[in-house]
Amino acid sequence: MYDIIIIGGGMAGMTAALYCLRNEKKVLILEKETVGGQITMSPKVENYPSFKEISGAELADRVFDQVTALGADFELENVVDVTKNEQGFIVTAEYNTYHAKSVVIATGAKPRKLGLDGEDECIGDGVYYCAICDGPFYKGKNVTVIGDANSAMQYALMLAGYCAQVSIITLFDRFFGEKSLEDAIRSTPNIDVTHNSNGLSVEKVEDKINITFENTRDKTQFVHTTDALFIAIGQVPDNKAFENVVDTDEAGYVIADESCVTRTDGVFVAGDCRTKNIRQVATAIGDGATAATAVCKYLNTLNQNANTRT
């Protein structure tokens, strides 16, 4: 029986673990994919206090080393259900079942697909969602990024460092990210920008990727040929496993305010998987600290009530 099971090993989840461990709680972190979550996809993090510049992967590794050194247990597991009982919570994963007095949901979000015809068939074979993971395979090649916000611009700038040519294509007539990133895009000679283009389909032809677009203004169609396509149009949450214990909004995010408290006593939420206006590493860390403080208060109250009864 753990005091706290934290579902998700991203920055929010690991921060929650750090605070709970320092309050002498027994903590298990369950992560289904990659320690660090979305931050590991950022080649350079420049808005994290204390580091002028650090890679997302290195930042995540440092925090993981910190929480495991403090005694956190860690398992690579995909959680499929959370149920409350008289003793606390049953957390069911694909391979094992775990028990805890409380739960912190910190599952983040996953990349959003474009929904192009042929997209699923080309995933991992010319179509990717993580330029950090797969971009190096296309060194010296021509690649394309679809997206109009910070992630897409960061991907394009990173790829431009080792690819021959980078095309960044947006649905609207402008970017929706930081001006400094847009200025860098405009001043990088091997990046070209195409606006007002709606993707329709993608197809692998020999060793190339053909993407069919429709111009949103005159409705003409054109085919863009590239060596690889990187899609960066945002994220979607994955919270269906927790429907027994939380409410979600229309987009699937866990409904909770800045207190990180859900509708179920003993269940808390932190990070990008909850309803919030800003999803950045700093806000994920803030959520982790808030959720941890709330869950420790909850556990201390449980212990006090148990002592009173005895």
Side-chain angles (χ1 to χ4, degrees), residues 104-134:
V104 175
I105 299 168
T107 50
K110 60 185 178 181
R112 185 185 300 276
K113 293 183 179 180
L114 271 172
L116 303 176
D117 289 341
E119 182 175 347
D120 288 343
E121 291 79 3
C122 293
I123 292 175
D125 188 23
V127 173
Y128 309 94
Y129 303 89
C130 179
I132 295 172
C133 306
D134 302 298

Side-chain angles (χ1 to χ4, degrees), residues 208-220:
K208 300 290 184 181
I209 292 292
N210 288 342
I211 313 159
T212 300
F213 288 94
E214 180 183 76
N215 184 288
T216 59
R217 289 179 170 173
D218 61 22
K219 303 304 180 182
T220 58

Side-chain angles (χ1 to χ4, degrees), residues 50-232:
S50 77
F51 296 107
K52 183 178 179 180
E53 179 183 305
I54 188 172
S55 74
E58 182 183 355
L59 178 60
D61 286 344
R62 290 189 180 205
V63 180
F64 180 72
D65 289 344
Q66 187 177 14
V67 297
T68 52
L70 286 171
D73 289 341
F74 177 85
E75 296 289 344
L76 279 172
E77 282 268 33
N78 180 32
V79 173
V80 297
D81 184 66
V82 176
T83 304
K84 188 170 185 177
N85 63 12
E86 292 182 358
Q87 289 72 43
F89 295 89
I90 301 170
V91 178
T92 305
E94 288 183 344
Y95 300 106
N96 296 285
T97 298
Y98 305 91
H99 300 269
K101 298 175 184 177
S102 60
V103 172
V104 175
I105 299 168
T107 50
K110 60 185 178 181
R112 185 185 300 276
K113 293 183 179 180
L114 271 172
L116 303 176
D117 289 341
E119 182 175 347
D120 288 343
E121 291 79 3
C122 293
I123 292 175
D125 188 23
V127 173
Y128 309 94
Y129 303 89
C130 179
I132 295 172
C133 306
D134 302 298
F137 292 111
Y138 294 91
K139 182 178 180 180
K141 301 286 189 177
N142 298 331
V143 301
T144 299
V145 177
I146 293 179
D148 54 20
N150 285 347
S151 294
M153 290 190 285
Q154 287 176 335
Y155 276 4
L157 289 167
M158 181 194 72
L159 291 165
Y162 52 78
C163 292
Q165 185 69 34
V166 178
S167 299
I168 183 166
I169 300 177
T170 76
L171 177 62
F172 299 101
D173 61 354
R174 61 190 181 278
F175 289 108
F176 296 89
E178 295 177 10
K179 187 177 184 302
S180 61
L181 289 173
E182 181 175 353
D183 290 343
I185 290 285
R186 302 290 186 187
S187 63
T188 302
N190 63 331
I191 297 179
D192 63 74
V193 179
T194 302
H195 292 305
N196 301 305
S197 300
N198 180 36
L200 301 177
S201 65
V202 61
E203 181 184 15
K204 181 74 179 285
V205 179
E206 296 181 351
D207 61 344
K208 300 290 184 181
I209 292 292
N210 288 342
I211 313 159
T212 300
F213 288 94
E214 180 183 76
N215 184 288
T216 59
R217 289 179 170 173
D218 61 22
K219 303 304 180 182
T220 58
Q221 293 187 8
F222 64 95
V223 176
H224 176 82
T225 299
T226 186
D227 290 306
L229 169 62
F230 296 91
I231 297 171

Side-chain angles (χ1 to χ4, degrees), residues 28-68:
L28 169 66
I29 301 173
L30 298 176
E31 166 58 47
K32 69 176 182 178
E33 291 179 350
T34 303
V35 171
Q38 294 181 64
I39 197 66
T40 61
M41 294 188 289
S42 295
K44 286 196 297 184
V45 178
E46 298 178 324
N47 59 357
Y48 185 86
S50 77
F51 296 107
K52 183 178 179 180
E53 179 183 305
I54 188 172
S55 74
E58 182 183 355
L59 178 60
D61 286 344
R62 290 189 180 205
V63 180
F64 180 72
D65 289 344
Q66 187 177 14
V67 297
T68 52

Side-chain angles (χ1 to χ4, degrees), residues 10-26:
M11 294 300 290
M14 291 196 292
T15 301
L18 175 63
Y19 275 70
C20 292
L21 290 162
R22 288 175 56 83
N23 277 274
E24 299 184 344
K25 307 302 183 186
K26 186 177 181 182

